[in-house]
């Protein structure tokens, strides 16, 4: 049987060990900065020249800002893009109508409005077929078409320079690029 002395020695050893480890392991200081969302960053890097606008856009929406997997992000980003573009399309119509007042300049109006409506439809379609990433990616690619350049050219040749319209065009082009990138990042299922 252990003597009282042995027990005391064990107890002292235990005490000094626990004090020692307690002093060696201070609680980590709480971090003041939120960890950056690497998923948003890696996604936006793939949108290349739209990186800054992509980060601003995805961080502005609670669902895209907190997405934690590529599928979450694709769902949230496509829903956001489709809804935003649908609303923006009404606003663009009104803005363009107020600028394209001269007869003969209606072509620009038609081209831009058609592009917006087409892109809104494609983004919505893409958002509804995420279980089939190839189709979702294909429809996102169609939204991201050359028609944006046709719209920009039509506005330029009609001499229409309205920062608000230009910002809307850039936002939609950015949404289209995001839609392509997030659907491209989904694992393919067969
Ligand atoms: C997307 O399409 C569905 C069905 O086609 C429709 O019910 C829904 O309102 C559309 N959403 C947007 C944002 O356009």
């Amino acid at each position: 049987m252990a003597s009282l002395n042995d027990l005391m020695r064990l107890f002292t050893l235990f005490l000094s060990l626990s004090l020692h480890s307690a002093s060696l392991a201070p609680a980590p200081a709480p971090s003041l900065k939120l960890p950056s969302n690497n998923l948003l960053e890696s996604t936006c890097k793939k949108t290349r020249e739209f990186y800054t606008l992509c980060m601003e856009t995805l961080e502005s929406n609670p669902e895209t800002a907190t997405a934690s997997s590529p599928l979450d992000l694709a769902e949230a980003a496509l829903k956001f893009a489709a809804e935003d573009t649908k609303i923006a399309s009404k606003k663009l119509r009104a803005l363009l109508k107020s600028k394209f007042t001269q007869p003969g300049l209606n072509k620009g109006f038609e081209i831009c409005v058609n592009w917006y409506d087409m892109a809104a439809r494609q983004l919505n379609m893409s958002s509804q077929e995420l279980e089939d990433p190839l189709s979702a990616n294909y429809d996102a690619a169609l939204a991201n078409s050359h028609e944006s350049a046709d719209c920009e050219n039509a506005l330029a040749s009609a001499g229409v320079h309205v920062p608000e319209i230009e910002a809307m065009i850039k936002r939609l082009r950015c949404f289209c690029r995001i839609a392509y990138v997030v659907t491209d990042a989904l694992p393919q299922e067969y």
Side-chain angles (χ1 to χ4, degrees):
M1 219 181 110
S3 71
L4 187 61
N5 248 347
D6 288 338
L7 286 177
M8 282 302 289
R9 223 175 289 145
L10 255 181
F11 179 67
T12 315
L13 181 67
F14 171 71
L15 199 66
S16 67
L17 275 179
S18 35
L19 284 177
H20 187 65
S21 59
S23 70
L24 272 183
S31 156
L32 294 175
K33 220 173 143 271
L34 285 170
S36 63
N37 190 331
N38 289 331
L39 182 58
L40 295 197
E41 270 179 22
S42 61
T43 300
C44 287
K45 275 191 185 130
K46 291 185 215 153
T47 68
R48 299 193 301 265
E49 75 269 26
F50 291 106
Y51 176 79
T52 307
L53 183 58
C54 172
M55 287 299 287
E56 281 170 16
T57 306
L58 295 183
E59 279 173 345
S60 74
N61 176 284
E63 287 177 14
T64 50
T66 57
S68 56
S69 72
L71 182 58
D72 275 357
L73 181 60
E75 280 174 355
L78 285 165
K79 181 167 164 265
F80 181 28
E83 285 170 358
D84 189 279
T85 307
K86 195 178 179 185
I87 294 164
S89 152
K90 294 199 180 95
K91 192 176 152 201
L92 184 76
R93 267 188 169 70
L95 270 173
L96 286 171
K97 269 216 171 91
S98 70
K99 298 298 161 195
F100 285 94
T101 45
Q102 290 161 270
L105 289 182
N106 286 336
K107 210 168 133 249
F109 176 87
E110 295 293 323
I111 290 173
C112 291
V113 164
N114 286 344
W115 168 52
Y116 243 79
D117 289 349
M118 181 279 288
R121 271 196 312 275
Q122 291 301 133
L123 291 171
N124 190 8
M125 208 182 294
S126 180
S127 78
Q128 291 177 1
E129 53 197 9
L130 284 177
E131 72 288 349
D132 177 6
L134 269 182
S135 302
N137 187 239
Y138 178 76
D139 282 314
L142 286 184
N144 203 8
S145 73
H146 61 89
E147 290 179 46
S148 60
D150 295 346
C151 167
E152 284 172 326
N153 292 338
L155 293 181
S157 59
V160 174
H161 293 290
V162 183
E164 212 177 349
I165 294 178
E166 279 154 20
M168 290 177 74
I169 291 171
K170 193 172 172 203
R171 185 174 174 85
L172 178 53
R173 289 188 59 208
C174 180
F175 267 133
C176 291
R177 190 74 66 83
I178 291 171
Y180 182 80
V181 163
V182 294
T183 50
D184 193 46
L186 295 175
Q188 302 297 335
E189 286 156 358
Y190 296 99

